[in-house]
Amino acid sequence: QIISATVDNNRLLLDIDNSKMTADDFRMKYENELVIRQTVEADINGLRNLLDDLTLVRSSLESELESLKDELIALKRNHEEEIRQLQSQTGGDVSVEVNAAPGQDLTKVLNDLRNEYEQIIEKNRREVEQWYEVKIEEVNRQVTSSSQDIQTSSHQLTELKREMQNLEIELQAQLSTKASLENSLAETESRYGLLLQQIQGQINCVEEELASIRCEMESQNQEYKMLLGIKTRLEEEIAQYRALLQEGQQD
């Protein structure tokens, strides 16, 4: 019974150690998942800041595009005013020199200048529009990638939260199991302690009985030796008497 109780105690201690190791493993997993969660949250905050910066860049580009449009309108207006001035000057020259041949050349020159200005303006407008479209595409691409990263990070964060909750539940279950095992171990130790005390008392009683029996056996052994000595002396005396009787009969 003592050996089986010792084996049960060792088994309970082993179960408690295994529970402690399992709880430590869950704690380490929880800490690692917490670090990963904090890292993901930091990345999400960084992506939000990047999204804000991209929004600001987009707003600045839109404002710059508006300013370029206003500048283009102003250039068109100035060009139209210059054309009017040139036309008025040309009209004055024509009124002065009605029969002058260079009047047609001035009109051609004005048309050429106007076409050149219009080509320059159209070229600038196309360049500005292309540049704006490229910037808008880049911003949209960055915003799309940032949104995808944020969605992925949010999904990972949700999964990590769910896993952390599961780990917390398992940790609480392991802690409750550990507490119940410790309580059962304490009860078992107290119960077997009482049994050991009872067995020790029985052993003490048996040892006392054995000591008394040993003393009785020693005293009986001494009496036996004494009786054996008496028997030996009596046998010797009887042998002597027999020898004397035989000698007397012979005489």
Side-chain angles (χ1 to χ4, degrees), residues 51-141:
L51 182 62
D52 295 334
D53 294 334
L54 291 173
T55 305
L56 293 174
V57 171
R58 182 175 180 178
S59 300
S60 63
L61 290 174
E62 289 177 353
S63 62
E64 188 174 355
L65 179 63
E66 294 296 330
S67 64
L68 289 173
K69 286 182 178 179
D70 294 335
E71 186 177 358
L72 183 62
I73 292 169
L75 288 172
K76 284 182 179 180
R77 190 180 295 110
N78 293 328
H79 177 65
E80 290 175 356
E81 290 178 357
E82 289 178 357
I83 289 172
R84 289 195 201 93
Q85 291 177 1
L86 290 172
Q87 285 178 354
S88 62
Q89 291 176 2
T90 305
D93 293 334
V94 170
S95 62
V96 175
E97 298 177 357
V98 177
N99 295 323
Q104 188 176 359
D105 294 333
L106 289 173
T107 304
K108 184 179 180 182
V109 169
L110 289 174
N111 292 327
D112 293 336
L113 288 173
R114 183 172 59 194
N115 292 326
E116 185 176 358
Y117 275 115
E118 288 179 354
Q119 290 176 1
I120 292 170
I121 291 168
E122 185 67 22
K123 181 180 178 181
N124 292 327
R125 186 181 63 79
R126 285 196 301 269
E127 289 178 355
V128 170
E129 288 179 353
Q130 290 177 359
W131 178 79
Y132 176 74
E133 289 177 357
V134 170
K135 291 294 182 181
I136 290 298
E137 287 179 358
E138 290 180 356
V139 171
N140 290 326
R141 194 181 300 112

Side-chain angles (χ1 to χ4, degrees), residues 229-244:
I230 294 169
K231 179 183 177 183
T232 304
R233 288 194 299 272
L234 289 173
E235 287 178 351
E236 289 176 355
E237 290 178 356
I238 290 168
Q240 289 178 0
Y241 287 136
R242 285 177 179 177
L244 293 172

Side-chain angles (χ1 to χ4, degrees), residues 175-207:
L175 290 174
S176 63
T177 305
K178 177 185 173 184
S180 63
L181 288 173
E182 288 178 350
N183 293 326
S184 62
L185 178 61
E187 292 176 356
T188 305
E189 287 179 350
S190 63
R191 185 172 63 252
Y192 284 109
L194 293 174
L195 290 174
L196 287 173
Q197 289 178 359
Q198 293 175 1
I199 292 168
Q200 188 65 37
Q202 293 176 1
I203 291 170
N204 292 328
C205 293
V206 172
E207 286 179 351

Side-chain angles (χ1 to χ4, degrees), residues 21-39:
M21 291 176 66
T22 305
D24 292 333
D25 292 335
F26 280 121
R27 190 176 292 107
M28 290 177 64
K29 288 181 181 179
Y30 173 74
E31 291 176 355
N32 293 326
E33 296 295 337
L34 183 61
V35 171
I36 293 171
R37 176 187 175 184
Q38 291 175 355
T39 304

